[in-house]
Amino acid sequence: MKVKFTNDLGKKLNEIEKKAKGINNQSVSMTDLLTPDFVAKHTRFANADEMFGASGFKIESQEDFAAIPDEKWDEFIRSASSFSSWQEMLGKAGELWAIKQLGL
């Protein structure tokens, strides 16, 4: 059932609904998720490049990154951030990205 609103709140809700449909299942780059502001707020690093560089792993490509054992990467993330795992970190970054895309 579709509800139509005639007031400003209704217009805003309809706008948010359209934006939400637009970002549903959208692929987002790590650069868009791990912004300098996000990384600086949640880690001891100024940006993602600095964080990856300090990890002790050779990360020059997606293949390099994929080759890092998950448990070792999670261990680094726990030691360098406020998150208990890489998935938790990406989840929070994705949540904040979506909120920004929705204009909230």
Side-chain angles (χ1 to χ4, degrees):
M1 178 166 122
K2 190 161 190 150
V3 178
K4 287 219 171 222
F5 295 94
T6 56
N7 59 26
D8 288 341
L9 175 61
K11 288 177 186 177
K12 184 68 174 171
L13 290 173
N14 287 332
E15 183 180 312
I16 291 170
E17 179 185 18
K18 286 179 188 176
K19 287 179 181 179
K21 287 179 181 177
I23 64 171
N24 190 28
N25 295 322
Q26 184 175 345
S27 180
V28 182
S29 73
M30 226 184 289
T31 303
D32 289 337
L33 291 178
L34 301 178
T35 63
D37 287 342
F38 178 85
V39 174
K41 181 177 179 179
H42 296 285
T43 75
R44 60 179 190 248
F45 305 106
N47 57 55
D49 287 339
E50 188 178 307
M51 181 178 77
F52 291 136
S55 71
F57 298 102
K58 176 187 166 217
I59 305 174
E60 296 175 358
S61 68
Q62 283 194 328
E63 291 79 19
D64 289 342
F65 187 74
I68 300 169
D70 291 344
E71 64 188 44
K72 294 290 184 185
W73 187 250
D74 283 344
E75 186 179 309
F76 169 70
I77 293 300
R78 276 191 297 278
S79 72
S81 76
S82 59
F83 300 102
S84 63
S85 71
W86 177 239
Q87 288 306 313
E88 182 183 353
M89 184 178 203
L90 288 181
K92 183 63 174 181
E95 176 186 318
L96 295 173
W97 177 86
I99 288 169
K100 183 177 179 181
Q101 297 307 302
L102 294 173
L104 301 175

